[in-house]
C-alpha cells in the first residue's frame, strides 16, 4: 500500500501551521507518536493543548487540501486521558480499502443480530439484510464538509457529548480512515482491526455523506449530510448500525432506534 508523505513533522518548525494555509494560527499543541508498543516511526496526529472553541474545525479545513491533514475533535475529558494514553495500535491495523464493507457487516451481524425482525422486511434474526439503499447526496443538499464544520461547532457550543474537546489533525486519505490512521482501539471489544470498521465508514461516506467529527477513548461521532428519509430505509440502516456497534441500540428496540435515524445529521457510537 502506497503511503502519503506525513506533514506533521513540519509543525515542529512551524507550530502555527501558517505554511498549511490555515485561516488562523494553530493553538499550542503537540504531535503524538505514542503507541501500545512504544514510539511509532512518525507522528500519528497533532492535537491542541487547549479546549477547542466553535470555528476551530472550519479554520483547520484548508490543511486537508494543502497537506492532507484532516481535522477531528478528540475528547480528552472522559476519564481516559488524551491519545497518548489510549494505547494506540497502528501496527495492528490493516488498510480500509482492502475490505468489503458489506462482508464486514455481514460477518459482524452473525455475532450480534438481535431477536426478531430487525430490518423490518420479514427477515429473521439470522438473515443479514444487505446494505441499505440510498439515492445518495441530492442536488442542492448540504455539502458534507460544510455540514461537518457545523456539527463540530454545535458539539463545541453544547459541550454535552464531549467533555473536553481538542482540535486534532490527522494525516489520512479520507475522513473515514481517521480511526485506522491513528490506530484507534475504541471498538476493540467488538472488532480488533478498526480498519474493517473504517471500510464501513467509507461506504457511509459514499451513501450518506458522513464525516468523522469526534473521537473519544471509546466513542465516535459522525456528521451525516444525507440521512435516511423513509422508515424502510432507516430500519434497513439500523441493521448496519447494530452490526457496526451493537452497544448503540442495546437500550432500545431496533425499530425504535431506526426512528432516531430519520433526518438525523449526527450519528454517535459507543463501545463498551
Amino acid at each position: 500500500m502506497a503511503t502519503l508523505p506525513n506533514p506533521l513533522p513540519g509543525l515542529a518548525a512551524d507550530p502555527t501551521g501558517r505554511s498549511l494555509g490555515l485561516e488562523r494560527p494553530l493553538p499550542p499543541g503537540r504531535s503524538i507518536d505514542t503507541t501500545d508498543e512504544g514510539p511509532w516511526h512518525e507522528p500519528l496526529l497533532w492535537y491542541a493543548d487547549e479546549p477547542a472553541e466553535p470555528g476551530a474545525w472550519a479554520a483547520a479545513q484548508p490543511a486537508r487540501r494543502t497537506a492532507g491533514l484532516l481535522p477531528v475533535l478528540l475528547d480528552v475529558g472522559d476519564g481516559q486521558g488524551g491519545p497518548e494514553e489510549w494505547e494506540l495500535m497502528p501496527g495492528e491495523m490493516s488498510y480500509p480499502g482492502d475490505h468489503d464493507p458489506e462482508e464486514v457487516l455481514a460477518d459482524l451481524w452473525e455475532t450480534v443480530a438481535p431477536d426478531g425482525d430487525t430490518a423490518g422486511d420479514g427477515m429473521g434474526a439470522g438473515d443479514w439484510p444487505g446494505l441499505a439503499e440510498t439515492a445518495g447526496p441530492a442536488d442542492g443538499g448540504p455539502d458534507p464538509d460544510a455540514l461537518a464544520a457545523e456539527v463540530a461547532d454545535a458539539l463545541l457550543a453544547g459541550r454535552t457529548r464531549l467533555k473536553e474537546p481538542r482540535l486534532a489533525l490527522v494525516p489520512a486519505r479520507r475522513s473515514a480512515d481517521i480511526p485506522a490512521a491513528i490506530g484507534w482501539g475504541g471498538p476493540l471489544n467488538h472488532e480488533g482491526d478498526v480498519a474493517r470498521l473504517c471500510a464501513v465508514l467509507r461506504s457511509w461516506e459514499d451513501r450518506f455523506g458522513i464525516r468523522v467529527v469526534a473521537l473519544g477513548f471509546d466513542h465516535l461521532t459522525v456528521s451525516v449530510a444525507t440521512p435516511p428519509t423513509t422508515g424502510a430505509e432507516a430500519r434497513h440502516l439500523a441493521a448496519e448500525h447494530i452490526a457496526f456497534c451493537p452497544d448503540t441500540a442495546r437500550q432500545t428496540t431496533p425499530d425504535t432506534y431506526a426512528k432516531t435515524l430519520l433526518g438525523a445529521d449526527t450519528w454517535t457510537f459507543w463501545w463498551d
Side-chain angles (χ1 to χ4, degrees):
M1 178 186 72
T3 58
L4 299 174
N6 188 336
L8 289 178
L11 289 180
D14 175 29
T16 67
R18 291 192 180 278
S19 63
L20 303 178
L22 300 183
E23 297 177 8
R24 65 189 190 195
L26 290 172
R30 69 191 82 173
S31 293
I32 299 299
D33 65 0
T34 309
T35 76
D36 64 332
E37 295 184 347
W40 195 239
H41 60 84
E42 61 182 1
L44 296 167
L45 63 110
W46 171 95
Y47 83 106
D49 291 335
E50 58 192 44
E53 298 294 338
W57 178 288
Q61 275 191 324
R64 177 175 189 167
R65 182 185 68 258
T66 61
L69 290 173
L70 277 59
V72 66
L73 300 177
L74 300 185
D75 188 359
V76 304
D78 57 4
Q80 301 292 340
E84 63 270 41
E85 301 175 64
W86 291 358
E87 297 186 345
L88 302 177
M89 301 175 290
E92 299 176 34
M93 302 297 161
S94 57
Y95 177 57
D98 290 338
H99 304 286
D100 179 88
E102 183 162 15
E103 291 180 1
V104 171
L105 288 170
D107 288 345
L108 295 172
W109 178 258
E110 291 184 3
T111 65
V112 303
D115 295 332
D117 178 12
T118 301
D121 294 321
M123 299 178 185
D127 298 311
W128 164 244
L131 298 181
E133 295 183 2
T134 175
D139 291 340
D143 173 80
D145 293 314
L147 178 68
E150 293 178 12
V151 168
D153 281 353
L155 292 172
L156 293 173
R159 297 287 175 89
T160 55
R161 298 183 188 178
L162 306 180
K163 303 299 183 183
E164 190 177 338
R166 307 282 182 87
L167 176 67
L169 295 173
V170 176
R173 293 179 178 272
R174 50 194 292 181
S175 179
D177 294 355
I178 287 175
I182 67 173
W184 184 59
L188 187 61
N189 291 335
H190 178 54
E191 171 56 61
D193 182 3
V194 80
R196 281 166 43 88
L197 297 184
C198 287
V200 177
L201 292 174
R202 283 184 169 202
S203 178
W204 289 346
E205 272 191 348
D206 296 337
R207 288 182 290 144
F208 301 103
I210 71 104
R211 295 291 186 267
V212 174
V213 173
L215 286 174
F217 176 74
D218 57 6
H219 56 88
L220 162 70
T221 297
V222 304
S223 60
V224 188
T226 314
T229 57
T230 69
E233 184 184 7
R235 288 191 297 271
H236 209 141
L237 177 60
E240 295 189 34
H241 281 211
I242 290 168
F244 183 83
C245 179
D247 294 304
T248 296
R250 187 159 287 167
Q251 302 301 319
T252 186
T253 66
D255 190 61
T256 299
Y257 177 73
K259 293 177 181 177
T260 70
L261 302 178
L262 287 169
D265 64 3
T266 60
W267 299 339
T268 297
F269 303 97
W270 168 79
W271 290 266
D272 191 355

